[in-house]
Amino acid sequence: MAIIPLELLAPAKDYQTGVAAINCGADAVYIGGPKFGARAAVGNSIADIEKLATYAHRYSSKVYLVINTLLYENEVAQAVALAHQAWNSGIDALIIQDFGLLETALPPIPLFASTQTNNTTPEKGKFLENAGFSRVILARELNLKQIAEIRQATSVPLESFVHGALCVSYSGQCYLSQALTGRSANRGACAQPCRMAYNLIDDKGNRIEKNQHLLSLRDLNLTNHIEELAKAGISSFKIEGRLKDEGYVKNTVRHYRSVIDKIIENNESFAKASSGNPTTNFTPDLERSFSRGFTNYFLDSRKEMASRFTPKSVGKRIGLVTGIEASSFKINTTERLSNGDGICFFVNQQLLGTNINQVEGNRIFPNSMEGITKGIEVFRNFDKAFNDSLSREVSRKVNATITLGMESGLTITAIDEDGIAASITIGEETTPSTNPEKATQTWIDQLSKGGDSMFNISGVSIEPTPAPFLPVGRINALRRELLNALEEQRVKNYYRETKQHIPTQHPYPEKELMFSGNVVNSYARRFFERHGSKVLQDGYELIPSNAGDTVMTTKYCLRYELGDCLKDRAPKEIQLPAKLFLENNGKRLALEFDCPRCEMKIKLT
């Protein structure tokens, strides 16, 4: 039976966040380079990426660089140069969207097909595998059955998002930001119009819903489905959040590390994907970091999933207001509140908030009493004590044993949990101890200390006993030298996979491509044409927007969200008008419902 390593993949907006993710137990991190990342605001230098790769590889963790935007003609050569620089810096794989890169002279680096390539079917997964991709990152919209079907049709490793913000559109298929603002989501510059407030109106202009965030989804949280995903064929579990801060990353990584470790412990089919164990000074709690509320999206069934009244973080519910005074209120809660906490609440479906200045038992003195009334439900969207605990350093230690051998001179050998070994021989003269038992114990005590190294010393043996006398300071110096040598050996032993990219000609699943094919350079056009697909239209970034354009396709359905699903209700029970529109600042977007496919389209008018 093949044993499958389960990878926990974390976001890193910068070097420091990447190190924190690894220390909290990430098996891999993904990070943006100087250009061409889908989060344009968080680029990093090659020097920092090289530092991160060196740090990660000590723990057998990996670093993936994202070049997951569409590339204009004059940018392709720059992206290829970046790929070579990144490979030389030590990264393990590239996450890409633009198929034009496969028409270039890339380094021998594994390629991962970004979720931006819209990977929803077994046919697409098989195509990508045959095209030479080393991993396929699946669309978030898939359910367990669909994931299992892709696994059955392919052998390429599969990756799935398990936590974080959700794009309401199928990834790579959203053109709303480009159409409204000229800022392309496929170019890393999304203006996030899906988080804006809209009115829902009919074709006569009658308002059905007013000023709601009708396209804003809650955050993904698949904590309770990780084992099901693993059994369906997922081997990499991805946390979204390259714009998130270090505290958020620490909390989410530590949480999912614990979840995955329990699954591995109870199932011999799975194994860890990297080495070492994290030690943290906090108990992870996902509700205490940025959260719009949680959904499991479509993984097991369709449920309500929108955050209609705010796109902001609401945080953890703490209780109901039970009494009001001029400058304070009482709250019924089991949570411990602190000075400096941020709290929020809804008043007439609008989110308001304030800070806590003082806490006296269950009586709270906020910075402002505006909007706070008896019976109102209060949430904490900033937990000062928890965030203070997240700011402390965390560490990750690899288990190792040390043996002092004396058969042919004094030799100290360290062997880590992966079987990697290092030895040093003591050249100086030693003298027998006048107290052999004490000398032996001194060796054991000093060699048992991992100190500031990356190792936890799980055992020390002296063969044979008794040990000779050496000063404590000298023993400690030898231990440090030994552990430094073991760390160097780990880096030297790290194996980085390579992949040669050979052009292929197998048929692409779609025979004709319109703007949703995302072809914005001649390299991508050549790729698709060689694979039997005719490019009928350039990508949306290169053509004018027109009324009737489908600028978003989503499995999320506003009719379902508002309790008026056309499939589940008889015609006489339908409450909403046949024609629906979203309206914001005088701009109107038409909604079209494809009930057989359970999809909603948003079109320009």
Side-chain angles (χ1 to χ4, degrees):
M1 178 179 63
I3 297 177
I4 301 170
L6 300 184
E7 177 187 87
L8 175 57
L9 176 55
K13 72 175 183 179
D14 52 28
Y15 167 76
Q16 183 176 341
T17 307
V19 168
I22 292 162
N23 286 346
C24 284
D27 300 305
V29 296
Y30 61 106
I31 189 169
K35 298 180 73 174
F36 310 128
R39 301 291 185 269
V42 283
N44 293 276
S45 69
I46 290 295
D48 277 353
I49 291 168
E50 183 172 9
K51 279 199 306 179
L52 182 59
T54 300
Y55 188 84
H57 292 168
R58 301 191 313 164
Y59 298 96
S60 300
S61 292
K62 298 180 179 181
V63 176
Y64 308 138
L65 182 74
V66 293
I67 302 183
N68 57 342
T69 59
L70 299 182
L71 303 167
Y72 290 152
E73 191 75 20
N74 64 337
E75 295 172 331
V76 174
Q78 299 173 47
V80 173
L82 175 58
H84 280 273
Q85 290 177 315
W87 176 247
N88 292 335
S89 76
I91 69 158
D92 296 277
L94 287 179
I95 301 173
I96 69 167
Q97 177 184 14
D98 199 313
F99 289 120
L101 285 171
L102 277 82
E103 298 294 303
T104 67
L106 290 172
I109 186 170
L111 298 179
F112 296 173
S114 169
T115 191
Q116 294 291 113
T117 56
N118 191 29
N119 307 319
T120 61
T121 65
E123 293 78 14
K124 184 67 171 286
K126 190 62 178 176
F127 172 84
L128 294 169
E129 179 179 354
N130 290 339
F133 282 91
S134 297
R135 181 182 295 183
V136 174
I137 306 172
L138 299 181
R140 295 169 173 90
E141 289 81 2
L142 300 181
N143 59 39
L144 285 167
K145 181 175 180 291
Q146 291 169 318
I147 292 170
E149 288 171 350
I150 294 174
R151 173 72 296 152
Q152 287 295 315
T154 63
S155 58
V156 65
L158 302 178
E159 176 184 307
S160 176
F161 283 90
V162 296
H163 195 88
L166 286 166
C167 293
V168 66
S169 173
Y170 284 104
S171 293
Q173 300 295 291
C174 185
Y175 310 96
L176 185 57
S177 178
Q178 173 70 28
L180 297 181
T181 70
R183 293 171 53 183
S184 169
N186 283 322
R187 298 267 301 156
C190 182
Q192 294 195 311
C194 59
R195 300 294 182 189
M196 295 168 61
Y198 293 91
N199 297 323
L200 181 66
I201 61 175
D202 64 15
D203 56 344
K204 297 180 176 61
N206 297 314
R207 187 182 296 157
I208 301 163
E209 299 287 349
K210 179 183 177 182
N211 200 35
Q212 292 188 21
H213 302 271
L214 296 169
L215 299 177
S216 181
L217 299 185
R218 301 172 196 169
D219 292 343
L220 185 66
N221 180 347
L222 298 184
T223 295
N224 297 324
H225 300 278
I226 301 299
E227 186 167 7
E228 293 172 277
L229 284 165
K231 290 179 177 178
I234 299 299
S235 56
S236 180
F237 304 87
K238 188 173 196 172
I239 298 167
E240 181 277 338
R242 282 200 299 119
L243 294 175
K244 296 294 197 302
D245 61 29
E246 185 179 328
Y248 176 93
V249 172
K250 284 181 175 180
N251 188 25
T252 51
V253 170
R254 190 68 189 90
H255 169 83
Y256 281 97
R257 179 75 271 157
S258 298
V259 172
I260 292 173
D261 283 348
K262 287 178 183 176
I263 293 168
I264 292 171
E265 184 180 340
N266 295 319
N267 195 318
E268 60 185 15
S269 300
F270 303 129
K272 289 181 67 174
S274 62
S275 309
N277 297 291
T279 300
T280 54
N281 297 311
F282 63 91
T283 301
D285 184 343
L286 297 178
E287 289 186 299
R288 294 180 190 270
S289 288
F290 185 100
S291 162
R292 300 178 179 92
F294 293 126
T295 174
N296 62 14
Y297 213 23
F298 298 99
L299 192 71
D300 56 358
S301 62
R302 183 186 285 269
K303 303 182 183 75
E304 289 185 10
M305 58 187 65
S307 177
R308 287 194 283 143
F309 304 123
T310 180
K312 298 179 180 179
S313 176
V314 175
K316 189 170 187 175
R317 182 188 184 278
I318 58 174
L320 297 175
V321 173
T322 59
I324 295 288
E325 292 190 4
S327 60
S328 66
F329 65 90
K330 280 190 173 182
I331 188 167
N332 180 17
T333 184
T334 58
E335 294 287 330
R336 184 173 181 177
L337 301 175
S338 303
N339 300 348
D341 281 354
I343 57 173
C344 59
F345 39 87
F346 288 95
V347 177
N348 297 324
Q349 298 182 346
Q350 296 295 310
L351 186 69
L352 300 179
T354 186
N355 296 323
I356 293 176
N357 289 336
Q358 186 177 343
V359 178
E360 295 179 0
N362 278 5
R363 181 166 292 283
I364 310 301
F365 293 82
N367 187 49
S368 170
M369 286 290 293
E370 181 184 357
I372 300 175
T373 57
K374 186 176 180 179
I376 206 165
E377 189 174 33
V378 178
F379 300 82
R380 176 165 53 189
N381 56 4
F382 179 76
D383 187 328
K384 185 178 185 303
F386 185 68
N387 277 273
D388 286 347
S389 70
L390 290 176
S391 68
R392 301 182 191 123
E393 283 193 23
V394 294
S395 63
R396 179 171 174 175
K397 301 285 187 177
V398 174
N399 287 330
T401 59
I402 296 179
T403 301
L404 175 64
M406 294 177 286
E407 290 186 351
S408 54
L410 282 181
T411 301
I412 312 177
T413 301
I415 303 176
D416 69 19
E417 62 187 59
D418 299 316
I420 298 171
S423 297
I424 58 173
T425 299
I426 302 171
E428 68 254 44
E429 291 287 333
T430 60
T431 58
S433 172
T434 57
N435 188 338
E437 187 175 315
K438 182 179 179 181
T440 298
Q441 190 60 48
T442 297
W443 277 94
I444 292 173
D445 290 344
Q446 301 312 309
L447 294 180
S448 296
K449 299 174 181 178
D452 294 331
S453 77
M454 63 175 288
F455 299 102
N456 170 60
I457 308 306
S458 56
V460 174
S461 59
I462 310 293
E463 300 174 358
T465 57
F469 171 79
L470 270 185
V472 168
R474 179 59 180 148
I475 296 174
N476 288 339
L478 290 169
R479 184 198 67 235
R480 288 191 291 270
E481 181 184 347
L482 175 67
L483 296 183
N484 285 338
L486 182 59
E487 182 177 329
E488 290 174 5
Q489 195 62 41
R490 285 190 63 84
V491 173
K492 189 182 299 183
N493 280 25
Y494 181 78
Y495 173 73
R496 193 163 57 134
E497 294 181 13
T498 60
K499 177 78 173 184
Q500 299 294 334
H501 303 290
I502 301 170
T504 58
Q505 294 184 334
H506 56 292
Y508 189 68
E510 296 177 58
K511 298 304 179 187
E512 296 181 340
L513 295 179
M514 304 303 288
F515 68 71
S516 59
N518 294 329
V519 178
V520 297
N521 60 66
S522 63
Y523 298 85
R525 180 179 291 271
R526 188 161 66 241
F527 174 87
F528 285 114
E529 289 177 347
R530 194 176 71 253
H531 290 89
S533 189
K534 186 178 293 186
V535 180
L536 301 180
Q537 196 174 27
D538 285 334
Y540 205 64
E541 292 76 9
L542 300 182
I543 62 176
S545 300
N546 293 296
D549 287 348
T550 297
V551 290
M552 182 187 290
T553 303
T554 172
K555 200 165 181 62
Y556 165 77
C557 177
L558 196 49
R559 280 190 177 274
Y560 184 94
E561 193 72 19
L562 297 175
D564 206 45
C565 176
L566 297 178
K567 288 181 70 174
D568 293 344
R569 303 185 68 174
K572 64 181 180 181
E573 297 176 320
I574 301 300
Q575 303 296 315
L576 294 175
K579 294 184 178 180
L580 294 172
F581 300 84
L582 296 177
E583 182 185 57
N584 174 276
N585 289 330
K587 294 182 179 178
R588 184 177 290 192
L589 301 167
L591 300 181
E592 183 179 287
F593 301 92
D594 186 344
C595 294
R597 295 177 59 87
C598 273
E599 291 179 345
M600 180 177 75
K601 298 181 187 297
I602 296 179
K603 297 193 169 191
L604 298 183
T605 60

